[in-house]
Amino acid sequence: MSKDYIMSKTVAHGYFSGKWMNGKKLCKRMKIPSDNAYYLKHYKDGQFHKDYTRPETVTSIVSFLKDPTGEIPWEEDPATIDISHLKDQEALTRFLKKGVGATKKALVMFYAPWCGYCKVLKPEFLAAATELRGVASLAALDASKYENSKIRQQYNISGFPTLLYFE
């Protein structure tokens, strides 16, 4: 059984050091204070790894459960407020009609969350989005997802990041 789990004060039972414990004992063992209504913490191999600091939404919690060690996805990052986050072909089509129609210019970054070059480019792309607000529309799309494979084929995306400019 994996010792990789998330715990909160409201957990009724938990698995720790090879035995099941009720929530009160487990929280005491993990030194979780009782001053807040709840805490979300990630433990890996029985050791504390990090606190849950993402928004408390279904999509955020699901993405955290899929990869608790990963970084916050772009669409959840509050710093990316000036960038439109596109999920699929339909969202890209709507963005190009609305974004290009409104500003006459659009720049779309097709990225992969695991890509080192994309991570390096992200702060510069954010700065450009802030500086070009009202002049051009900037968007980002995770093209590494399986459901976006048609987009990769349509725009001939063979590496990450790929930046495409639309007028």
Side-chain angles (χ1 to χ4, degrees), residues 31-157:
K31 299 178 180 137
I32 297 177
S34 60
D35 56 343
N36 280 353
Y38 62 90
Y39 289 87
L40 294 173
K41 296 181 174 286
H42 177 250
Y43 287 82
K44 183 173 182 165
D45 297 324
Q47 299 295 317
F48 173 74
H49 181 249
K50 68 180 181 179
D51 288 320
Y52 180 85
T53 56
R54 298 182 183 180
E56 294 170 7
T57 62
V58 172
T59 55
S60 182
I61 291 172
V62 168
S63 71
F64 183 78
L65 288 172
K66 288 181 179 177
D67 184 16
T69 59
E71 295 178 12
I72 296 175
W74 277 41
E75 58 271 8
E76 295 176 21
D77 189 347
T80 62
I81 196 162
D82 293 324
I83 296 176
S84 298
H85 301 283
L86 311 174
K87 293 182 180 182
D88 54 19
Q89 178 71 48
E90 185 179 320
L92 177 62
T93 303
R94 273 195 316 262
F95 170 78
L96 292 175
K97 286 181 181 176
K98 182 186 86 169
V100 176
T103 61
K104 306 288 186 218
K105 300 171 189 169
L107 182 65
V108 180
M109 179 177 170
F110 298 90
Y111 72 95
W114 45 262
C115 169
Y117 296 112
C118 300
K119 291 177 184 179
V120 170
L121 183 59
K122 181 180 176 181
E124 298 300 323
F125 196 69
L126 295 173
T130 302
E131 189 173 322
L132 295 171
R133 190 180 323 150
V135 177
S137 300
L138 274 71
L141 186 138
D142 181 355
S144 68
K145 292 181 179 177
Y146 174 76
E147 56 268 19
N148 292 332
S149 61
K150 288 184 180 183
I151 295 172
R152 289 194 306 271
Q153 289 175 341
Q154 180 181 355
Y155 294 105
N156 197 25
I157 297 169

Side-chain angles (χ1 to χ4, degrees), residues 15-28:
Y15 185 75
F16 182 76
S17 298
K19 59 184 171 185
W20 285 98
M21 305 175 112
N22 71 27
K24 206 175 206 181
K25 286 181 184 177
L26 183 60
C27 289
K28 186 176 181 181

